[in-house]
Amino acid sequence: QPEPGQLIELKLGREDYTGAAPVLSTWPPGSTYGGASEYGALYLGDPNRLPNPDLSEKQGDRVLAWGFSEGDAGLYASVDENGQRVIRVTTPGRYSTMSQSLRLKPNGTYRLSADVKGDAGIYLRARTVLKPAGPSVPHTADFSPSPEYRRLEAQFPTGPDGTALIILGSTETSGKGTVYVRNLQVTPVVGYESAGPAIPVRADAP
């Protein structure tokens, strides 16, 4: 049964013999005809696996899905920016985080990403345990102050249980300021490893 947001790795090829010479067409555009690479990404619905990615969903005064370091919930707010909800982070010049735990596909590969701007630093981090009883491994993308939005990405693998702790935070070295985060996402990554090897098919097979 397909899940909402499930990724299907797809490549389409067409052979046209109506002209003087055969014409080969492919999707995604520009991909090589045949071969077990250059797949396109087809998502069944919203590919973002992160609940409440802009902090706009609340139950009373409590932000759904996310937890915050003690006493710091007020440093993270959902605000409107040109008709889009974004996260406004007031960095306090010390350790502070918002985080949530996800259950993803075991032994999968995902990308944590966001567009970020502001006059202080923050980081995006996914922590995963890659083997039973193993350590929690961080996968981090750091942001340095920028007046324009800049893309942050951290690719990470999941372990046998598929859990990942997603963190947005700052430290003593991040400085004090205001940072805006939009399009915060956790999405599956297209990769040969999950597609498996190519299956040979004879052209004259029944």
Side-chain angles (χ1 to χ4, degrees), residues 176-194:
K176 293 184 178 181
T178 305
V179 177
Y180 295 89
V181 180
R182 70 182 184 190
N183 300 325
L184 182 60
Q185 296 185 329
V186 171
T187 52
V189 172
V190 174
Y192 173 79
E193 293 81 0
S194 60

Side-chain angles (χ1 to χ4, degrees), residues 9-64:
E9 300 175 56
L10 183 66
K11 186 176 184 180
L12 302 178
R14 179 175 182 270
E15 300 179 5
D16 186 350
Y17 294 99
T18 58
V23 176
L24 305 179
S25 304
T26 62
W27 184 90
S31 60
T32 304
Y33 188 85
S37 62
E38 302 174 299
Y39 287 96
L42 175 64
Y43 294 98
L44 303 180
D46 186 357
N48 192 3
R49 302 299 178 87
L50 196 61
N52 198 13
D54 57 13
L55 306 187
S56 61
E57 298 176 28
K58 291 186 174 184
Q59 187 173 52
D61 293 331
R62 184 175 66 86
V63 175
L64 297 179

